[in-house]
Amino acid sequence: MPTATPAPGPTPPSTPSPSPSPSPSPSSSSSRRRGPRPRYSREDVGRAAVSIADADGLEAVTFRAVAARLGTGVMSLYNYIPDKQALVYEMAELVSAELDLPEPTGDWRADLHTVAGRQRDLVHRHPWLIEAVSHLQPIGPATLALLEFALGALEPAGLSMRDRLETIAMVNGFVLNLVRAELASRAAAADPRARAGQFAMIPELLASGRYPRFAAVIAEGGQPETLDPAASFDRLLDRVLDGLVQAPDA
């Protein structure tokens, strides 16, 4: 059925239509969505924390100290990093990028000595890494570069992928503990009384006759105080590698 059309009547007076509101320009709308441009980056925050830790240790790294170093408010840092643990992870990733990793040479033992030596130098530059390094470290570019190097370096040893990863993890732990011992020895050398106190009870204990094997070590000139962790680094690393890696024809 067709729709009826109303008969035309007198034309009503026209009323002015309201002017349309000006639409916001794309640039102003976009700027409102984005907000102010951040003053710093996540890396800026991490590097400020590294500077504090290098000077005063990991305990000195607080959001308040980092904010003061950057000249900003404490709460603003949470726009970049959510908490202290995430900040420590960021610090470890940043300094790990300092490792200069060569291409594997085909000599797996020499390659691991090279990377372990460079890790040792890195930890001496940033001693707080001894406390900061964790197996829970998020894998970033620097961490993955080390794993990639280790997987390639250990390829000629005939190890499975899992064994290669476990080997580099054990080498990492060895490096951290040797540097810890080096730093402790260095500190003790500055206080001869503390160093002497470490072994003060040995004569009395050995005189009891209850420790014949240790007495034999002392008799052969193996006094504990003669151990130099720095001088023993390569020899002890070889001992670790001997236990972790067997030659393919072994």
Side-chain angles (χ1 to χ4, degrees), residues 3-240:
T3 305
T5 303
T11 304
S14 61
T15 57
S17 60
S19 302
S21 301
S23 60
S25 66
S27 59
S28 63
S29 174
S30 174
S31 64
R32 283 201 299 270
R33 285 197 304 269
R34 287 197 303 264
R37 186 175 182 178
R39 290 181 61 191
Y40 303 103
S41 67
R42 184 183 179 95
E43 181 175 339
D44 292 332
V45 176
R47 293 203 179 281
V50 167
S51 297
I52 294 169
D54 286 347
D56 301 312
L58 195 59
E59 289 186 0
V61 177
T62 64
F63 271 49
R64 185 174 300 279
V66 174
R69 178 66 61 101
L70 291 172
T72 190
V74 175
M75 297 307 296
S76 69
L77 298 186
Y78 291 97
N79 294 320
Y80 308 98
I81 295 181
D83 53 48
K84 171 72 176 287
Q85 184 58 72
L87 178 58
V88 173
Y89 287 150
E90 180 72 11
M91 294 163 62
E93 173 69 17
L94 284 172
V95 300
S96 294
E98 297 175 18
L99 277 176
D100 181 16
L101 300 170
E103 288 297 318
T105 65
D107 183 337
W108 66 265
R109 187 179 292 267
D111 286 343
L112 288 188
H113 271 271
T114 296
V115 74
R118 293 180 185 183
Q119 285 179 304
R120 177 182 169 221
D121 293 340
L122 178 69
V123 180
H124 272 292
R125 290 197 300 273
H126 308 287
W128 50 267
L129 279 171
I130 295 171
E131 302 172 60
V133 169
S134 166
H135 67 289
L136 300 176
Q137 174 76 29
I139 296 179
T143 306
L144 194 56
L146 175 60
L147 295 177
E148 182 70 17
F149 171 83
L151 290 171
L154 286 165
E155 194 169 287
L159 298 177
S160 68
M161 291 294 186
R162 177 178 177 177
D163 287 346
R164 291 184 224 174
L165 291 173
E166 288 180 350
T167 296
I168 192 60
M170 295 293 287
V171 170
N172 289 347
F174 164 81
V175 171
L176 291 170
N177 279 302
L178 254 290
V179 175
R180 187 198 305 272
E182 288 183 67
L183 297 175
S185 294
R186 185 183 302 171
D191 187 354
R193 289 178 300 176
R195 183 68 168 171
Q198 182 181 2
F199 306 107
M201 294 180 64
I202 286 182
E204 179 183 349
L205 292 170
L206 295 185
S208 70
R210 297 172 59 188
Y211 311 98
R213 295 176 183 83
F214 193 83
V217 170
I218 297 297
E220 292 176 8
Q223 290 89 343
E225 61 265 33
T226 63
L227 177 64
D228 182 347
S232 305
F233 183 85
D234 287 313
R235 177 178 63 81
L236 294 177
L237 177 57
D238 274 324
R239 297 292 297 274
V240 171

